[in-house]
């Protein structure tokens, strides 16, 4: 009888963990999609959260979009240098 009680508690905790993972995955997809389709959002991320934008650029480069960073920097008037164009990794 005690096993059933602990098993139910364990299952309830596992369900909440799975829900949290699905929500996190959905939020990550939403942000990636918004950055992928909205240049102004990328500019805002560049100003406020550059580390998040760096993850976007690296993911896009892995997906085959090699010049996303260069195109954005040229449109924004930022000089592309080795320190901010880290495509060599």
């Amino acid at each position: 009888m005690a096993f059933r009680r602990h098993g139910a508690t364990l299952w309830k905790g596992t369900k909440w963990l799975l829900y949290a993972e699905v929500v996190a995955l959905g939020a990550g997809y939403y942000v990636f999609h918004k950055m992928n389709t909205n240049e102004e959002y990328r500019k805002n991320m560049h100003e406020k959260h550059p580390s998040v934008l760096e993850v976007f650029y690296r993911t896009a480069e892995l997906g085959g979009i090699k010049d996303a960073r260069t195109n954005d920097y040229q449109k924004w008037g930022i000089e592309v240098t080795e320190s901010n164009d880290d495509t060599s990794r």
Side-chain angles (χ1 to χ4, degrees), residues 19-84:
Y19 291 147
E21 286 185 22
V22 168
V23 168
L25 184 65
Y29 176 78
Y30 171 77
V31 170
F32 182 85
H33 178 71
K34 192 163 183 178
M35 279 197 283
N36 197 29
T37 58
N38 189 337
E39 181 182 336
E40 287 299 317
Y41 188 72
R42 286 194 305 272
K43 176 74 170 166
N44 186 32
M45 294 301 277
H46 174 73
E47 294 168 353
K48 295 183 179 180
H49 306 288
S51 60
V52 174
L53 187 61
E54 179 65 26
V55 170
F56 167 75
Y57 285 140
R58 289 181 186 234
T59 305
E61 289 165 1
L62 286 173
I65 305 170
K66 300 291 183 191
D67 57 349
R69 180 192 322 257
T70 306
N71 290 342
D72 282 346
Y73 283 5
Q74 287 175 348
K75 287 179 186 174
W76 300 335
I78 300 171
E79 185 177 338
V80 179
T81 62
E82 283 293 320
S83 63
N84 62 11

